[in-house]
Amino acid sequence: MKKIRILSLVIFVLCLTLVIGPQLALAAGDAPLVLVVPLDGEISSITADYLTRVIRMAETKGAEVMVLEINTPGGSVDAMSRMVQVIRSSSIPVVVYVAPRGAMAASAGSLITLAGHISAMAPETVIGAASPVGSSGEDLGETMETKVKEILKATVSTLVVDRSEAAQALAADMVENARAVSVDEALNVGLIDIKANNLDDLLSQLDGKSVVLASGIRTLHTTDVQVERQSNTFIEQLLGILTNSNVVLILMTIGVQ
């Protein structure tokens, strides 16, 4: 009799495992997906292609949100414009997060940060210095500088139109006078939305926030999420190295020699 009871208990536990196990797996699979994408280095056409690819991937996977972790000294204005367009037209929320500590969103990077449906920064980070320069950091001619500045000011004004007057003035000053500010200065005037110590802190603060997409308003749910990290492919990494302005200059020098 005792053996029958033990056998019955074992069968019951096995049946319970078969019933509950798949449900737990399904629940985990149904957890909202957060796609975390690093963007570290100069902004170039390769970077723009990379961002386009990962946003399309996030859309295909039905991600709750994509977090673009950015650390850049800036780069191509044309590539930046493409990146702003693809962020703003995304069907999923894109949070641009200047990270880790000590990172910067300079020049073109500052506009990409402001293009996010939510803009966030880690402690000890900076944003700004968005005045245009040549591909090697040289000053542009007066006419060209005026043209590019006007385009950048028009672009940045559309990105901060719903922010405070102080934030709008600061954004314009970043382009006109190459002003750069710390995360605290940016947060105090409302140029960015969140100061987050790390990804967990960011996700905690994002939960319940509403963002405006082209399709309408969406409320974010970022608790109990699956976090999936993406990175650029080997080809994208190689092309990124070969198109780096410093590498190009070295290769040109070698070629001349």
Side-chain angles (χ1 to χ4, degrees):
M1 189 69 178
K2 185 176 180 181
K3 290 182 179 180
I4 293 175
R5 287 179 179 176
I6 294 174
L7 182 60
S8 299
L9 181 61
V10 170
I11 292 173
F12 174 75
V13 171
L14 288 174
C15 291
L16 197 62
T17 303
L18 290 173
V19 172
I20 296 178
Q23 291 180 347
L24 291 174
L26 181 62
D30 287 344
L33 173 65
V34 174
L35 201 64
V36 181
V37 177
L39 196 165
D40 192 348
E42 287 189 11
I43 303 301
S44 68
S45 60
I46 305 303
T47 314
D49 291 340
Y50 165 58
L51 180 63
T52 301
R53 177 178 68 81
V54 292
I55 285 183
R56 297 294 172 257
M57 178 190 297
E59 291 174 335
T60 300
K61 291 187 174 188
E64 177 71 14
V65 65
M66 191 186 96
V67 177
L68 181 65
E69 290 185 344
I70 188 171
N71 178 22
T72 177
S76 165
V77 172
D78 290 340
M80 176 272 296
S81 296
R82 284 178 54 199
M83 294 171 74
V84 169
Q85 290 170 29
V86 74
I87 290 172
R88 299 308 301 175
S89 63
S90 171
S91 63
I92 63 161
V94 177
V95 176
V96 183
Y97 179 37
V98 184
R101 288 174 181 257
M104 61 180 170
S107 192
S110 59
L111 275 74
I112 293 169
T113 303
L114 298 178
H117 298 104
I118 290 180
S119 302
M121 297 175 68
E124 302 169 18
T125 54
V126 297
I127 184 172
S131 294
V133 294
S135 59
S136 299
E138 75 277 7
D139 289 334
L140 298 173
E142 184 177 349
T143 302
M144 181 57 70
E145 181 179 6
T146 300
K147 285 183 177 181
V148 177
K149 269 188 178 181
E150 289 303 311
I151 291 172
L152 292 178
K153 284 193 292 186
T155 300
V156 80
S157 68
T158 64
L159 298 176
V160 297
V161 65
D162 294 325
R163 297 188 182 274
S164 68
E165 290 186 5
Q168 294 177 32
L170 174 57
D173 204 24
M174 287 179 175
V175 177
E176 185 64 40
N177 299 307
R179 186 176 175 189
V181 297
S182 68
V183 54
D184 293 319
E185 292 173 282
L187 186 65
N188 287 340
V189 299
L191 185 68
I192 62 168
D193 305 293
I194 293 173
K195 177 182 178 180
N197 293 322
N198 49 45
L199 181 62
D200 288 340
D201 186 20
L202 176 64
L203 294 177
S204 176
Q205 294 189 57
L206 287 175
D207 191 54
K209 281 191 174 292
S210 295
V211 297
V212 180
L213 304 176
S215 57
I217 298 175
R218 183 178 306 179
T219 301
L220 301 180
H221 303 286
T222 53
T223 57
D224 301 321
V225 296
Q226 306 175 65
V227 175
E228 180 179 319
R229 289 189 173 271
Q230 285 292 322
S231 59
N232 46 10
T233 64
F234 172 75
I235 296 298
E236 287 169 337
Q237 293 177 32
L238 179 61
L239 290 174
I241 293 172
L242 294 177
T243 56
N244 181 284
S245 59
N246 293 324
V247 175
V248 170
L249 181 60
I250 292 171
L251 292 176
M252 289 177 62
T253 304
I254 294 173
V256 170
Q257 294 299 322

